C-alpha cells in the first residue's frame, strides 16, 4: 500500500507540492468547457488546507509549444477561487526567485497555483536539475495526477525521487478501484471495448481476456474482429495490421472458454447512394460502411450486461459524435448505468460520451485517465505510483 496524504503528519506551515491533473478542455476565449478534473482534485487540496499547510499546486495543460498564453493555468485559478474557501494565488512561473519569494509569504492554509509545467521543456524531458529546483520550493510532494501517472516527467516522477512523498485521494481512489478489477473482480466480470484502433489497445485487450468472463466488442474495433472471423464488413473501418492479432485472440478465447460477443447487425450508410441515409442491416455488402451497432446487437449486449456483477467500459460503440450513430453508445451506457454491477468507465471518448448522455452520476467510477487507465489495467502498476513510498507499518 502506498503512502497517502492521510499518512503525512505535522503539516502545519509545511510547503506541500501537489501535482494535479488540471488538463481540462478550454476554448479560445479561456472558458473551461468541463471542470470535472478540477472538482475531483478538491478533496486532496481541501484536506491540506485544513491541515494548515502551504499548498503549492503544479499541473500541465495540453501540449504547449513553449509559453502559450492560451494554455496558461490562470483560468484554473479562478475556478479554484470559486470552489475553495481559502486564499488562492497564481503566479505565471514554475521556478525562480519570484516563486520562492511568493511561497515565503504564503499564509498557512493558503494555495498557490504555479504556471503550466509544460511551458518548460524540461518537464517532459524529466530533467533532474529542473526537478531539483522545484523540489527546493517545498517540504513534501503529493501526486494526485492519475491522468499522467504513466508518463515519467519532472513533476510526475522525478519530484517523487527527490522528496518525501505520498499519493493524493484521487490517485488512491482510481488505483484501488482499478487494482480490484485486475486482481479480484466481482464475477461475472463483463468488459465492453469499443473505439477505433485495435493496435493501441492490444495489450489491454490481452490482459482483460485473462481476467474477464465476457468481452463485448463494438465500435470500429469490432470490424477488425469480424474480418478476422471471415465475415464481410464492406467499407467499415478495419485496422489491417491487427487482423492477425484479432484472429489469435478469438482462438485464445475459444481455448480458454471465454465469451466474446461481436455485433450481429449494424447501422450503416451506402457509400454509393446520393443521399447518405443511415439504415440497419445484418449483412454488410461491399459499398456499405457501418458506423454503429444495430438493435439486435444492442439487445445481445445489454442482456449480457444485466447479469454482470462488475463492468468495465472503454471506447464508444459507434461514431457517437454524429447523432445518427449515437444510439448504440447511448443504449449501452444506459444499460451499464441501470445494472447493479460495480461499473468503471475509462477512456477520453467514452467519458465524454457518458457525459453527453448525462449518466455520469450512475457510474461507480469515471476514471480520469485515458492512457493511464489502460496502462494500469495492462500492467497492474504505473511508474509514477511505483516511485511513491510504501506505507510504514508499525
Ligand atoms: P476512448 O478515447 O474512449 O479510449 P477511442 O479513442 O479508442 O475511445 O475511440 C473513439 C473513436 O472511435 C470516436 O472518435 C468514434 O467516432 C470512433 N468510432 C467508434 N465506432 C466507430 C465506427 N463504427 N466507425 C468509425 N469510427 C468509430
Ligand atoms: Mg480517444
Amino acid at each position: 500500500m502506498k503512502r497517502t496524504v492521510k499518512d503525512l503528519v505535522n503539516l502545519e506551515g509545511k510547503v506541500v507540492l501537489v501535482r494535479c491533473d488540471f488538463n481540462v478542455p478550454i476554448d479560445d476565449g479561456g472558458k473551461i468547457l468541463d471542470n470535472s478534473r478540477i472538482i475531483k482534485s478538491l478533496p486532496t487540496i481541501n484536506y491540506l488546507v485544513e491541515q494548515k499547510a502551504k499548498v503549492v499546486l503544479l499541473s500541465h495543460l495540453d501540449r504547449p509549444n513553449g509559453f502559450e498564453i492560451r494554455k496558461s493555468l490562470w483560468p484554473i485559478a479562478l475556478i479554484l477561487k470559486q470552489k475553495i474557501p481559502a486564499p488562492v494565488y497564481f503566479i505565471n512561473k514554475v521556478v525562480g526567485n519570484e516563486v520562492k519569494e511568493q511561497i515565503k509569504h504564503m499564509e498557512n492554509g493558503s494555495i498557490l497555483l504555479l504556471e503550466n509545467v509544460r511551458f518548460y521543456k524540461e518537464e517532459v524531458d524529466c530533467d533532474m536539475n529542473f526537478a531539483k529546483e522545484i523540489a527546493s520550493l517545498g517540504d513534501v510532494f503529493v501526486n494526485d495526477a492519475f491522468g499522467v501517472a504513466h508518463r515519467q516527467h519532472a513533476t510526475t516522477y522525478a519530484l517523487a525521487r527527490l522528496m518525501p512523498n505520498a499519493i493524493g485521494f484521487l490517485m488512491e481512489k482510481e488505483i484501488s478501484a482499478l487494482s480490484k478489477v485486475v486482481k479480484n473482480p466481482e464475477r461475472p466480470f463483463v468488459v465492453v471495448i469499443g473505439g477505433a484502433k485495435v493496435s493501441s489497445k492490444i495489450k489491454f485487450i490481452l490482459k482483460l481476456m485473462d481476467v474477464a468472463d465476457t468481452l463485448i466488442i463494438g465500435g470500429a474495433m469490432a470490424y477488425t474482429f469480424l474480418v478476422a472471423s471471415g465475415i464481410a464488413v464492406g467499407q467499415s473501418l478495419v485496422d489491417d495490421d491487427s487482423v492477425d492479432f484479432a484472429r489469435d485472440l478469438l482462438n485464445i478465447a475459444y481455448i480458454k472458454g471465454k465469451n466474446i460477443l461481436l455485433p450481429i447487425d449494424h447501422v450503416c450508410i451506402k457509400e454509393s447512394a446520393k443521399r447518405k441515409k443511415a439504415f440497419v442491416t445484418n449483412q454488410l455488402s461491399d459499398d456499405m460502411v457501418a458506423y454503429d451497432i444495430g438493435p439486435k446487437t444492442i439487445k445481445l449486449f445489454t442482456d449480457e450486461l444485466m447479469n454482470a456483477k462488475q463492468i468495465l467500459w472503454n471506447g464508444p460503440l459507434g461514431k457517437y459524435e454524429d447523432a445518427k450513430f449515437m444510439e448504440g453508445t447511448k443504449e449501452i451506457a444506459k444499460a451499464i448505468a441501470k445494472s447493479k454491477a460495480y461499473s468503471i468507465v475509462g477512456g477520453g471518448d467514452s467519458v465524454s460520451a457518458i457525459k453527453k448522455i448525462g449518466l455520469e452520476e450512475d457510474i461507480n467510477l469515471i476514471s480520469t485517465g485515458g492512457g493511464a487507465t489502460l496502462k494500469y489495467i495492462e500492467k497492474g502498476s504505473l511508474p509514477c505510483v511505483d516511485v511513491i513510498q510504501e506505507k510504514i507499518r508499525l
Side-chain angles (χ1 to χ4, degrees):
M1 285 283 278
K2 294 294 172 184
R3 238 161 53 143
T4 77
V5 268
K6 275 263 161 91
D7 301 311
L8 302 173
V9 289
N10 301 331
L11 287 172
E12 185 165 350
K14 295 264 169 60
V15 179
V16 183
L17 306 181
V18 189
R19 178 55 158 97
C20 299
D21 177 8
F22 294 144
N23 187 25
V24 293
I26 295 190
D27 73 8
D28 288 349
K31 184 168 177 273
I32 295 174
L33 302 171
D34 176 3
N35 68 10
S36 42
R37 280 190 163 160
I38 305 176
I39 302 297
K40 288 181 176 180
S41 305
L42 294 179
T44 299
I45 301 171
N46 282 328
Y47 176 79
L48 291 168
V49 166
E50 280 162 26
Q51 303 300 306
K52 301 195 177 62
K54 297 177 181 178
V55 188
V56 176
L57 305 178
L58 297 150
S59 176
H60 73 289
L61 175 64
D62 209 346
R63 296 178 179 185
N65 195 359
F67 185 93
E68 277 184 57
I69 189 69
R70 284 220 204 114
K71 292 176 183 169
S72 167
L73 293 190
W74 69 263
I76 314 273
L78 298 181
I79 302 274
L80 292 171
K81 247 188 191 23
Q82 288 166 12
K83 304 281 176 197
I84 304 175
V88 177
Y89 306 101
F90 173 72
I91 185 165
N92 63 351
K93 294 178 180 58
V94 174
V95 284
N97 281 337
E98 279 172 67
V99 181
K100 278 194 181 132
E101 273 307 300
Q102 188 144 352
I103 292 177
K104 211 189 278 172
H105 293 109
M106 280 174 83
E107 57 270 48
N108 293 353
S110 70
I111 296 161
L112 172 66
L113 173 64
L114 307 186
E115 187 50 289
N116 189 345
V117 287
R118 287 198 190 159
F119 283 179
Y120 301 74
K121 76 169 189 26
E122 291 89 341
E123 164 67 1
V124 173
D125 294 345
C126 200
D127 183 296
M128 263 319 192
N129 289 327
F130 178 62
K132 276 181 193 158
E133 243 187 296
I134 301 175
S136 75
L137 300 171
D139 302 301
V140 194
F141 171 64
V142 171
N143 193 348
D144 212 16
F146 177 74
V148 276
H150 58 316
R151 301 195 190 282
Q152 285 169 264
H153 292 170
T155 63
T156 61
Y157 182 79
L159 278 185
R161 295 190 49 188
L162 296 167
M163 306 176 75
N165 56 49
I167 53 173
F169 294 126
L170 175 60
M171 183 82 98
E172 184 190 22
K173 186 173 161 194
E174 297 254 12
I175 57 180
S176 71
L178 294 177
S179 86
K180 186 166 182 326
V181 161
V182 183
K183 293 179 190 138
N184 185 23
E186 301 286 335
R187 297 193 181 278
F189 175 25
V190 179
V191 177
V192 182
I193 301 178
K197 269 200 115 186
V198 180
S199 60
S200 63
K201 295 186 184 173
I202 285 182
K203 288 187 188 147
F204 173 73
I205 300 174
L206 272 175
K207 172 74 199 182
L208 287 169
M209 173 83 157
D210 257 353
V211 291
D213 300 296
T214 299
L215 282 187
I216 290 178
I217 301 178
M221 170 96 44
Y223 299 100
T224 304
F225 282 86
L226 288 174
V227 165
S229 35
I231 294 170
V233 301
Q235 305 283 314
S236 311
L237 199 63
V238 170
D239 192 346
D240 290 321
D241 296 336
S242 300
V243 174
D244 286 343
F245 161 75
R247 195 175 295 118
D248 288 347
L249 195 114
L250 292 170
N251 285 332
I252 299 171
Y254 179 73
I255 293 164
K256 289 193 171 179
K258 303 269 172 160
N259 199 9
I260 293 199
L261 300 181
L262 290 167
I264 49 173
D265 62 346
H266 319 269
V267 179
C268 65
I269 56 167
K270 244 189 179 143
E271 270 297 309
S272 57
K274 266 206 199 99
R275 288 187 52 231
K276 301 221 179 333
K277 247 185 98 202
F279 63 96
V280 174
T281 183
N282 48 21
Q283 209 153 17
L284 291 162
S285 61
D286 283 353
D287 64 342
M288 291 180 190
V289 193
Y291 285 117
D292 197 4
I293 53 175
K296 287 191 188 130
T297 308
I298 291 177
K299 168 102 178 46
L300 175 75
F301 290 180
T302 49
D303 283 352
E304 188 71 21
L305 287 166
M306 283 307 138
N307 294 322
K309 289 248 169 59
Q310 172 114 42
I311 297 171
L312 174 71
W313 176 27
N314 169 273
L317 282 297
K319 200 178 169 202
Y320 76 101
E321 297 93 333
D322 182 336
K324 287 198 293 293
F325 307 116
M326 180 153 190
E327 203 58 21
T329 302
K330 192 168 157 188
E331 290 305 316
I332 297 306
K334 275 167 60 183
I336 295 175
K338 203 170 131 199
S339 103
K340 294 199 168 57
Y342 184 88
S343 51
I344 300 179
V345 177
D349 287 282
S350 328
V351 171
S352 53
I354 206 110
K355 284 181 177 163
K356 205 165 160 185
I357 299 161
L359 288 172
E360 52 200 298
E361 297 299 323
D362 302 300
I363 303 295
N364 294 92
L365 181 84
I366 305 255
S367 183
T368 52
T373 311
L374 300 195
K375 268 269 141 52
Y376 188 84
I377 289 173
E378 241 172 81
K379 304 209 154 128
S381 70
L382 292 169
C384 301
V385 179
D386 290 345
V387 72
I388 299 288
Q389 288 161 251
E390 294 291 324
K391 252 188 225 284
I392 298 169
R393 287 185 201 286
L394 297 172

